[in-house]
């Protein structure tokens, strides 16, 4: 990007905000050199990286950066065989620890962060090297006593020597106290000394290492400890030598990993810059832009990124598609330059991977070049006027501009004769528009207001001005050219109405018509905006109502389903109870049959009566139309009474009373035990009839009974019920032989058929089907 453009748009201040958010020194260095990219793919990746980091911050989490110095010089020194200082080695340990912590954080966080994880995947956790360093050197660069066995022994010797020296000196402070300026032990030139008064120099004896500023006190090393001090000095030398050996060894290990450490530092710095971009976005309340290569800029509530959130005025900005040029007209104090810089900075920020200060969904075009001619500074060095300075810059821009450029002109054509300046401005705009570059220009020339209306590819705009407060609102009005408001401002400031009226008489008819047109446009614009706001509010209310209705509908559906489930459960419960009672009856009948108390045709008749009664029961329960109890008679049931069995829906006669709650009844040819609560009194037995009236369910015609029954695909229990009924029907039809088709399958159904055969006396013989009859997939039954 053009450096002059970046300077004029104050791009460096945006970068300063990012640098301020960086956590490491190397990250700050990287942030300083951020430049807008012109590669669409690279820009999209930068934006995606920033968005991932913003997601982390929105979850109140933070990447764990810690203090970290640039270790590049240390790595180079280790490569050429130099020995690193202990503090330099500590910085390398801090680099390794920071990389390890960041890598662990990204790997363990429960978020989809493919790009950030791609950065941390390049970080190598050198745990062995980190442990080797931290076990020998503390955070301040001091070596631990046990950094090596030799160092431990040397330091123990030093402590022993120092203790001996201090003991000897303490004795001297007691016996020679009058000769000393103070009873303290101090150090000069790494040797222990005492402060001796000048006049007692000879009495103490020894070596003078220093003296006070007045010369009255001499810092002397007494003869008695000179040899001890010499031994101590030798131990100090040995300590330094051992420390040097330890540092050389650690430096050698670092030299083996310089390439890995350099990559780790680069990845941490890259991640730090991404994190800094994200923190800048959060503080600015910025959003991720939608990028395009079509020259479209569509922003809602766009703000100048360098103004505080409290003072920045948001504006809607649209540029592209049907027009790619905008002319912002109005007075010099109207904030046109702020709008121009807002557009330019938002484009540069988007192309630098920074989110933009605008509402969600903002569209920003990516440009190969951005040019700006902003400011009215004179070129003192070249002795150029304001006009000449501007024109020199414009000439340079015109030489480089193309269709992939964004051009920002501030007060185009200013600084010269108004008519000539306006003509030049229109000519320059014609040239840039013909090249198909995107251009935004500000001007206070009234001629350019009409220029915008006469060009299909040009949009007029202005910055709103509040005449009542005599202050610009800084809100951009698209489609409305600006007014000078000179007469209104003058009137508000106290200029007489007579003078203002006289001034208006000098205006030409065209100027008056243009001003009237602008006023009408402003009013229309405000009216449209108010209606748009009302419509938006109505839509929002309708959407909320729709959501509420959908919520209520879903609640209703859930409640309905619950009611159906309860009803079905209640019906199933009643049905299960009826079936249990019916099974008891069937079992009693079967026992009677097994005891040969019934003839075969009586058993068949009773079985059919039960089978036909059960569907009526099921249907009655499934409908669940009413839960009212059956009507009960108040008369006591006696032997010989005609009754109705409510559960079986069959009529019969009471044969015997077993107890107060149970009776033995006869239904057709079948006798059974029934509970008193299930019986309904119908009438007394008629004495004149020779035989008891028997109510039997009408038997279904068996004329359509086939000589074979296909049970394939049936559930096990349903199949056996069908088989039992079919055999009864076949017996009544008089078939001597029938075929049961059960298929081969798992064999479960065939075994069920065999079990049925064993407990059914009416079947005198059976066999599997022959080769032409279906083989083991069928069973042939021979009936009595």
């Amino acid at each position: 990007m053009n450096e002059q453009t970046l300077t004029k748009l104050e791009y460096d201040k945006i970068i300063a905000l990012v640098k301020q958010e960086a956590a490491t020194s190397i990250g700050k260095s990287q942030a300083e050199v951020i430049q807008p990219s012109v590669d669409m793919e690279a820009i999209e990746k930068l934006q995606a990286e920033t968005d991932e980091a913003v997601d982390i911050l929105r979850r109140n989490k933070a990447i764990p950066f810690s203090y970290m110095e640039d270790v590049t010089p240390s790595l180079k020194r280790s490569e050429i065989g130099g020995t690193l200082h202990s503090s330099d080695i500590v910085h390398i340990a801090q680099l390794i620890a920071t990389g390890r912590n960041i890598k662990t954080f990204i790997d363990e966080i429960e978020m989809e962060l493919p790009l950030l994880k791609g950065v941390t995947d390049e970080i190598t956790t050198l745990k062995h090297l980190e442990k080797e360093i931290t076990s020998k050197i503390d955070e301040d660069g001091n070596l631990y006593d046990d950094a090596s066995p030799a160092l431990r022994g040397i330091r123990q010797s030093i402590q022993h020597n120092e203790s001996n020296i201090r003991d000897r000196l303490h004795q001297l402070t007691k016996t020679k106290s009058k000769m000393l300026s103070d009873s303290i032990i101090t150090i000069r030139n790494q040797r222990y000394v005492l402060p001796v008064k000048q006049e007692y120099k000879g009495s103490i004896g020894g070596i003078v290492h220093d003296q006070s500023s007045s010369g009255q006190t001499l810092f002397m090393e007494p003869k008695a400890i000179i040899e001890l001090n010499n031994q101590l000095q030798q131990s100090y030398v040995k300590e330094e030598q051992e420390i040097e050996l330890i540092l050389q060894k650690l430096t050698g290990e670092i030299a083996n990993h310089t390439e890995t450490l350099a990559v780790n530092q680069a990845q941490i710095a890259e991640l730090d810059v991404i994190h800094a971009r994200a923190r800048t976005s959060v503080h600015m309340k910025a959003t991720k832009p939608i990028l395009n290569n079509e020259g479209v800029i569509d922003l809602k509530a766009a703000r100048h990124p360098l103004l505080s959130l409290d003072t920045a005025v948001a504006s809607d900005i649209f540029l592209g598609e049907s027009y790619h040029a905008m002319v912002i007209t109005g007075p010099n104090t109207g904030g046109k330059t702020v709008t121009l810089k807002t557009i330019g900075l938002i484009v540069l920020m988007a192309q630098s991977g920074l989110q933009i200060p605008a509402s969600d969904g903002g569209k920003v075009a990516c440009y190969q070049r951005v040019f700006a001619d902003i400011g009215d500074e004179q070129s003192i060095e070249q002795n150029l006027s304001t006009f000449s300075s501007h024109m020199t810059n414009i000439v340079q821009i015109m030489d480089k501009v193309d269709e992939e450029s964004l051009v920002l002109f501030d007060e185009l054509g200013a600084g010269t004769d108004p008519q000539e300046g306006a003509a030049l401005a229109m000519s320059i705009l014609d040239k840039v528009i013909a090249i198909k570059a995107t251009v935004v220009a500000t001007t206070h020339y009234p001629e350019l207001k009409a220029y915008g209306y006469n060009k299909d590819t040009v949009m007029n705009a202005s910055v709103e001005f509040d005449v009542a407060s005599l202050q610009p609102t800084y809100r951009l009005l698209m489609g409305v050219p600006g007014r000078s408001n000179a007469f209104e401002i003058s009137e508000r400031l106290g200029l007489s109405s007579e003078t203002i009226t006289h001034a208006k008489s000098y205006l030409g008819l065209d100027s008056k018509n243009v001003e009237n047109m602008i006023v009408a446009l402003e009013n229309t614009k405000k009216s449209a905006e108010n209606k748009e706001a009302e419509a938006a509010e109505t839509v929002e209310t309708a959407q909320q109502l729709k959501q509420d209705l959908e919520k209520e509908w879903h609640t209703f559906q859930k409640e309905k389903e619950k009611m159906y489930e309860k009803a079905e459960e209640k019906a199933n419960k009643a049905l299960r109870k009826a079936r249990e009672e019916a099974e008891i009856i069937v079992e009693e009948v079967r026992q009677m049959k097994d005891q040969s108390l019934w003839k075969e045709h009586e058993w068949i008749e009773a079985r059919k009566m039960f089978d036909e009664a059960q569907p009526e029961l099921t249907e009655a329960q499934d409908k669940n139309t009413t839960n009212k109890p059956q009507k009960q008679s108040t008369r006591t049931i006696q032997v010989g009474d005609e009754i109705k069995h409510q559960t079986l829906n069959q009529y019969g006669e009471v044969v015997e009373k077993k107890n107060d709650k149970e009776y033995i009844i006869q239904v057709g040819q079948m006798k059974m035990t029934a509970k008193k609560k299930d019986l309904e009194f119908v009438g007394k037995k008629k004495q004149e009839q020779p035989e008891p009236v028997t109510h039997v369910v009408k038997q279904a015609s068996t004329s359509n009974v086939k000589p074979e029954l296909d049970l394939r695909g049936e559930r096990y229990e349903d199949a056996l019920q069908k088989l039992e009924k079919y055999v009864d029907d076949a017996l009544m039809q008089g078939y001597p032989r029938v075929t049961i088709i059960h298929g081969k399958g798992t064999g479960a159904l065939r075994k069920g058929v065999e079990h049925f055969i064993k407990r059914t006396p009416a079947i005198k013989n059976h066999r599997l089907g022959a080769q032409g009859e279906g083989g083991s997939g069928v069973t042939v039954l021979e009936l009595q």
Side-chain angles (χ1 to χ4, degrees):
M1 286 291 176
N2 186 289
E3 284 296 328
Q4 187 178 10
T5 296
L6 298 180
T7 301
K8 288 182 177 293
L9 291 174
E10 300 179 288
Y11 177 77
D12 59 314
K13 294 183 178 179
I14 299 293
I15 298 306
L17 295 177
V18 180
K19 178 183 176 182
Q20 183 179 338
E21 298 297 339
T24 67
S25 61
I26 188 68
K28 292 182 184 295
S29 299
Q30 294 278 31
E32 281 183 336
V33 296
I34 291 177
Q35 288 282 319
S37 174
V38 295
D39 185 340
M40 184 72 168
E41 186 176 346
I43 296 169
E44 288 178 337
K45 182 182 178 184
L46 289 171
Q47 286 291 346
E49 289 172 344
T50 304
D51 199 47
E52 286 186 5
V54 167
D55 282 344
I56 293 175
L57 295 174
R58 284 174 180 161
R59 298 196 184 190
N60 293 322
K61 298 181 181 296
I63 300 174
F65 292 101
S66 55
Y67 179 81
M68 196 184 79
E69 287 289 340
D70 185 359
V71 300
T72 303
S74 298
L75 297 180
K76 290 181 179 178
R77 197 179 315 125
S78 68
E79 284 183 322
I80 61 176
T83 302
L84 297 180
H85 190 272
S86 60
S87 61
D88 297 329
I89 296 176
V90 169
H91 291 157
I92 289 174
Q94 291 170 340
L95 165 66
I96 299 172
T98 301
R100 173 174 50 78
N101 292 334
I102 291 173
K103 185 178 181 71
T104 301
F105 174 82
I106 296 297
D107 288 344
E108 294 181 354
I109 192 171
E110 295 180 354
M111 295 176 63
E112 291 294 328
L113 305 170
L115 295 177
L116 298 189
K117 193 174 187 305
V119 176
T120 57
D121 283 346
E122 299 297 320
I123 297 175
T124 304
T125 53
L126 302 171
K127 292 183 179 179
H128 172 74
L129 181 57
E130 180 188 358
K131 184 178 180 181
E132 189 70 15
I133 295 172
T134 55
S135 65
K136 291 178 170 55
I137 309 175
D138 65 19
E139 293 181 354
D140 297 323
N142 301 313
L143 271 72
Y144 294 115
D145 291 348
D146 55 357
S148 74
L151 184 61
R152 185 186 305 109
I154 292 169
R155 286 187 172 173
Q156 287 175 352
S157 176
I158 289 173
Q159 291 174 359
H160 179 71
N161 289 340
E162 287 178 340
S163 179
N164 288 339
I165 292 171
R166 287 182 177 276
D167 289 343
R168 297 291 294 274
L169 291 177
H170 276 303
Q171 292 177 2
L172 289 174
T173 57
K174 293 177 182 179
T175 58
K176 307 289 186 180
S177 60
K178 293 182 179 181
M179 300 179 185
L180 304 178
S181 300
D182 198 350
S183 298
I184 62 172
I185 300 172
T186 186
I187 297 175
R188 291 292 187 275
N189 300 325
Q190 291 189 331
R191 300 179 78 89
Y192 284 89
V193 297
L194 291 174
V196 180
K197 294 178 181 179
Q198 173 69 31
E199 59 268 27
Y200 295 109
K201 173 182 177 183
S203 301
I204 294 293
I207 302 171
V208 177
H209 288 279
D210 198 3
Q211 66 178 9
S212 65
S213 57
S214 65
Q216 298 299 312
T217 300
L218 302 176
F219 294 95
M220 294 184 64
E221 180 182 359
K223 289 187 293 183
I225 67 164
I226 289 176
E227 183 58 32
L228 291 174
N229 261 334
N230 289 338
Q231 294 175 7
L232 183 61
Q233 291 304 311
Q234 292 174 1
S235 296
Y236 284 151
V237 172
K238 290 180 180 179
E239 181 186 30
E240 290 299 325
Q241 291 173 347
E242 181 61 24
I243 289 174
E244 183 71 12
L245 289 174
I246 295 171
L247 295 180
Q248 284 179 358
K249 182 179 179 182
L250 289 174
T251 302
E253 294 186 19
I254 290 169
N256 295 331
H257 300 284
T258 53
E259 186 176 346
T260 300
L261 290 167
V263 171
N264 284 5
Q265 179 171 269
Q267 299 306 102
I268 293 171
E270 181 180 351
L271 200 63
D272 192 10
V273 173
I274 295 171
H275 188 250
R277 295 201 306 260
R279 286 178 60 85
T280 303
S281 298
V282 171
H283 292 161
M284 200 179 287
K285 293 188 177 179
T287 60
K288 182 182 178 183
I290 300 172
L291 305 172
N292 68 87
N293 276 326
E294 288 75 42
V296 176
I297 298 176
D298 187 3
L299 304 172
K300 303 295 183 184
R303 295 172 278 108
H304 192 291
L306 294 176
L307 297 178
S308 68
L309 295 171
D310 297 332
T311 59
V313 176
S315 294
D316 295 344
I317 301 171
F318 181 78
L319 194 62
E321 294 183 357
S322 59
Y323 59 88
H324 53 90
M326 182 190 300
V327 177
I328 306 174
T329 55
N332 290 336
T333 59
K336 300 190 300 295
T337 304
V338 173
T339 303
L340 203 67
K341 287 186 175 182
T342 299
I343 296 172
L345 278 176
I346 284 179
V347 168
L348 295 178
M349 289 174 66
Q351 294 188 212
S352 300
L354 287 161
Q355 296 188 344
I356 60 173
S359 296
D360 274 331
K363 297 179 181 178
V364 178
C366 294
Y367 298 97
Q368 294 296 309
R369 284 157 290 279
V370 178
F371 301 102
D373 177 57
I374 298 175
D376 56 357
E377 69 285 346
Q378 297 181 347
S379 178
I380 299 175
E381 296 83 0
Q382 300 180 24
N383 194 25
L384 296 176
S385 65
T386 300
F387 175 76
S388 299
S389 178
H390 272 291
M391 198 51 60
T392 300
N393 192 27
I394 290 172
V395 169
Q396 295 174 353
I397 292 173
M398 298 297 287
D399 288 339
K400 301 175 183 177
V401 69
D402 58 16
E403 64 180 3
E404 294 182 320
S405 301
L406 170 66
V407 186
L408 306 172
F409 290 128
D410 188 30
E411 294 297 340
L412 185 59
T416 187
D417 177 79
Q419 289 186 338
E420 292 181 355
L424 273 173
M426 289 186 284
S427 177
I428 292 169
L429 287 174
D430 283 341
K431 178 68 173 177
V432 176
I433 292 171
I435 295 173
K436 295 185 178 179
T438 301
V439 58
V440 181
T442 68
T443 179
H444 62 276
Y445 290 141
E447 289 85 351
L448 268 74
K449 300 173 185 176
Y451 174 84
Y453 280 105
N454 295 326
K455 295 283 186 179
D456 293 336
T457 57
V458 180
M459 170 62 72
N460 267 324
S462 61
V463 179
E464 189 178 48
F465 188 88
D466 187 357
V467 179
S469 64
L470 302 181
Q471 294 291 330
T473 66
Y474 299 104
R475 191 169 70 93
L476 186 67
L477 300 176
M478 299 290 293
V480 180
R483 292 191 293 146
S484 66
N485 299 302
F487 294 145
E488 290 83 353
I489 294 173
S490 299
E491 186 175 10
R492 292 282 299 174
L493 294 175
L495 191 64
S496 67
S497 58
E498 181 182 352
T499 304
I500 293 173
T501 302
H502 185 60
K504 288 181 179 179
S505 66
Y506 285 109
L507 284 176
L509 182 60
D510 291 341
S511 298
K512 291 179 180 179
N513 290 339
V514 169
E515 289 298 316
N516 291 336
M517 177 190 68
I518 293 173
V519 172
L521 282 172
E522 287 181 347
N523 293 334
T524 302
K525 179 80 172 178
K526 290 180 180 179
S527 176
E529 288 178 348
N530 291 335
K531 289 181 180 179
E532 183 181 5
E534 292 176 1
E537 185 177 355
T538 302
V539 170
E540 184 178 357
T541 302
Q543 289 176 341
Q544 185 62 47
L545 179 60
K546 179 175 177 288
Q547 292 175 0
D548 293 342
L549 287 174
E550 287 178 347
K551 185 177 180 181
E552 291 295 330
W553 172 253
H554 290 316
T555 302
F556 168 74
Q557 290 294 331
K558 289 180 180 178
E559 291 297 326
K560 186 177 75 172
E561 290 175 3
K562 288 181 181 179
M563 292 176 66
Y564 281 149
E565 289 175 359
K566 288 181 179 179
E568 184 178 1
E569 183 180 357
K570 189 173 182 180
N572 289 336
K573 186 177 180 180
L575 181 60
R576 283 195 301 270
K577 181 180 177 182
R579 284 176 175 170
E580 288 173 359
E581 294 177 351
E583 287 296 330
I584 293 172
I585 297 172
V586 169
E587 183 61 27
E588 291 181 355
V589 172
R590 183 176 286 114
Q591 291 175 1
M592 295 173 67
K593 176 190 173 189
D594 292 342
Q595 296 171 4
S596 300
L597 298 178
W598 280 28
K599 295 181 181 180
E600 188 62 37
H601 72 278
E602 293 177 334
W603 158 250
I604 294 172
E605 181 182 356
R607 178 65 193 178
K608 285 191 63 62
M609 180 175 62
F610 171 71
D611 287 340
E612 292 183 6
Q614 185 165 320
E616 294 179 16
L617 169 66
T618 304
E619 182 179 1
Q621 293 292 347
D622 285 345
K623 287 182 179 179
N624 197 27
T625 55
T626 176
N627 292 322
K628 294 181 181 179
Q630 295 293 333
K631 184 177 179 181
Q632 297 286 340
S633 173
T634 58
R635 185 185 183 284
T636 302
I637 295 175
Q638 298 177 356
V639 175
D641 288 348
E642 294 181 6
I643 48 87
K644 177 182 179 183
H645 195 294
Q646 297 176 359
T647 303
L648 297 178
N649 196 26
Q650 298 296 319
Y651 292 89
E653 177 184 349
V654 177
V655 177
E656 180 184 347
K657 181 178 180 180
K658 293 183 67 176
N659 50 53
D660 292 339
K661 295 183 178 180
E662 292 181 326
Y663 291 86
I664 295 176
I665 63 173
Q666 181 166 348
V667 178
Q669 300 297 322
M670 180 174 63
K671 291 184 179 181
M672 66 184 71
T673 300
K675 294 181 180 180
K676 180 180 179 181
K677 64 178 183 179
D678 293 332
L679 302 180
E680 179 184 352
F681 174 77
V682 174
K684 292 283 291 181
K685 179 181 178 181
K686 296 180 180 179
Q687 299 294 329
E688 63 275 9
Q689 291 181 345
E691 294 181 1
V693 177
T694 303
H695 295 274
V696 181
V697 178
K698 183 180 180 181
Q699 296 184 10
S701 173
T702 59
S703 60
N704 59 348
V705 177
K706 297 180 180 179
E708 64 180 23
L709 173 64
D710 191 349
L711 298 177
R712 289 175 296 180
E714 297 285 343
R715 291 175 63 252
Y716 183 88
E717 295 179 357
D718 295 338
L720 293 185
Q721 287 185 2
K722 280 190 173 183
L723 175 61
E724 190 171 8
K725 183 177 185 303
Y726 172 77
V727 170
D728 292 343
D729 293 341
L731 287 167
M732 296 190 68
Q733 189 72 18
Y735 283 136
R737 182 184 298 103
V738 292
T739 301
I740 309 301
I741 304 173
H742 45 68
K744 298 178 181 179
T746 61
L749 196 55
R750 177 172 57 81
K751 292 179 180 178
V753 171
E754 291 176 355
H755 180 69
F756 170 79
I757 292 170
K758 291 178 181 179
R759 62 182 177 82
T760 306
I763 301 174
K764 66 180 181 180
N765 202 357
H766 72 281
R767 63 176 175 83
L768 291 176
Q771 186 67 29
E773 296 175 324
S776 60
V778 303
T779 298
V780 179
L781 308 181
E782 292 184 15
L783 306 179
Q784 294 282 2

